[in-house]
Amino acid sequence: MNSTSSNMNNMSRNMNSESSSSCKGKCPWTVVLTSRRIILTACILIALGYVLMSGPGSTESSFNPDIFSPVRIGIAPMLCLAGYLLIIVGILKKTAPKDLPSQKK
């Protein structure tokens, strides 16, 4: 029983040392996390743009000049556009290339 537990300890040490030395910041899951962060940031930008565009509107009986404010007709649509473009960047972000087997000639 003692030899089995020591073998398991050695195996876990080897696995920990292999996983920490082989990645060195280039693991595929870090690229996936980066893409997800970009997409999450883009979604927040889009939501912020729509929140800035919302507000009270005008009716036939009363005119609200706030509908033509620079924030509602300029900044908010630019935030939405930037968010949509950032989503495209997050989707198209290249992942780490996998090692291809050597081709024999």
Side-chain angles (χ1 to χ4, degrees), residues 14-55:
N14 289 339
M15 287 174 49
N16 288 336
S17 65
E18 286 175 9
S19 64
S20 63
S21 64
S22 65
C23 270
K24 294 191 181 183
K26 295 184 180 183
C27 289
W29 55 269
T30 58
V31 175
V32 171
L33 287 178
T34 304
S35 295
R36 287 186 182 167
R37 286 181 186 150
I38 290 172
I39 293 172
L40 180 66
T41 304
C43 290
I44 291 170
L45 275 178
I46 293 169
L48 181 64
Y50 280 116
V51 166
L52 289 176
M53 275 193 267
S54 68

Side-chain angles (χ1 to χ4, degrees), residues 57-89:
S58 294
T59 61
E60 291 183 17
S61 61
S62 66
F63 175 72
N64 186 0
D66 191 38
I67 62 171
F68 298 113
S69 72
V71 172
R72 287 178 83 175
I73 64 171
I75 295 172
M78 283 189 226
L79 278 177
C80 288
L81 180 64
Y84 286 122
L85 292 175
L86 205 58
I87 282 182
I88 292 170
V89 169

